[in-house]
Amino acid sequence: MNFKSKYLKPFKNLYILIFSGFVVWMLFFDTNSWLTHRGLNSDIDDLENEKEYYKNEIDKDKKAIKELSTEEGIEKLAREKYYMKKENEDIYIIEYEDSLKNQKKDE
């Protein structure tokens, strides 16, 4: 009996009971609880990572726009991506075996 009363003695104090209840309320049940803040901080971290990703994508797009703003850049894109050619020239597409294997994996 002495063992139990030694550990339960602080909880017989009214101030400690009220303080303990207040701490539990603030950590778990309040609208500004620790759990809520933890979730919001996680959301903020995810959004900051997403922001960095989109900044990098914007930089890539700006670079592509800059390249396409010249006549040579447009011609290069047309030749490489759309296989366009001038009237008096022929285009030969050379595919290697390992590039064909990679295309099959992508499909």
Side-chain angles (χ1 to χ4, degrees):
M1 189 72 172
N2 191 13
F3 179 74
K4 289 182 181 179
S5 65
K6 184 170 110 176
Y7 290 107
L8 294 176
K9 187 175 182 181
F11 292 104
K12 291 181 181 178
N13 188 343
L14 181 62
Y15 294 111
I16 292 178
L17 281 174
I18 292 172
F19 180 73
S20 299
F22 176 74
V23 168
V24 168
W25 179 264
M26 291 305 290
L27 285 176
F28 299 108
F29 301 115
D30 192 44
T31 57
N32 298 319
S33 70
W34 175 72
L35 295 173
T36 304
H37 280 283
R38 190 177 71 174
L40 292 174
N41 286 336
S42 174
D43 291 344
I44 288 170
D45 292 339
D46 292 342
L47 289 172
E48 286 177 350
N49 291 336
E50 193 172 326
K51 179 181 169 184
E52 286 299 317
Y53 169 77
Y54 285 120
K55 279 185 178 180
N56 292 335
E57 290 297 313
I58 288 170
D59 291 339
K60 287 179 189 176
D61 291 343
K62 284 182 181 178
K63 183 179 176 186
I65 289 170
K66 188 175 181 181
E67 288 176 2
L68 290 175
S69 65
T70 63
E71 195 68 33
E72 295 85 22
I74 293 172
E75 185 176 336
K76 181 180 175 185
L77 176 73
R79 287 174 177 268
E80 290 178 0
K81 189 168 184 179
Y82 298 108
Y83 305 116
M84 293 184 172
K85 64 178 183 139
K86 294 182 181 177
E87 282 192 32
N88 58 354
E89 64 182 12
D90 294 325
I91 294 179
Y92 297 99
I93 300 170
I94 300 171
E95 293 182 352
Y96 298 102
E97 285 186 36
D98 55 343
S99 66
L100 294 174
K101 291 176 186 176
N102 290 337
Q103 285 180 353
K104 288 180 183 176
K105 287 181 185 177
D106 293 339
E107 294 174 359

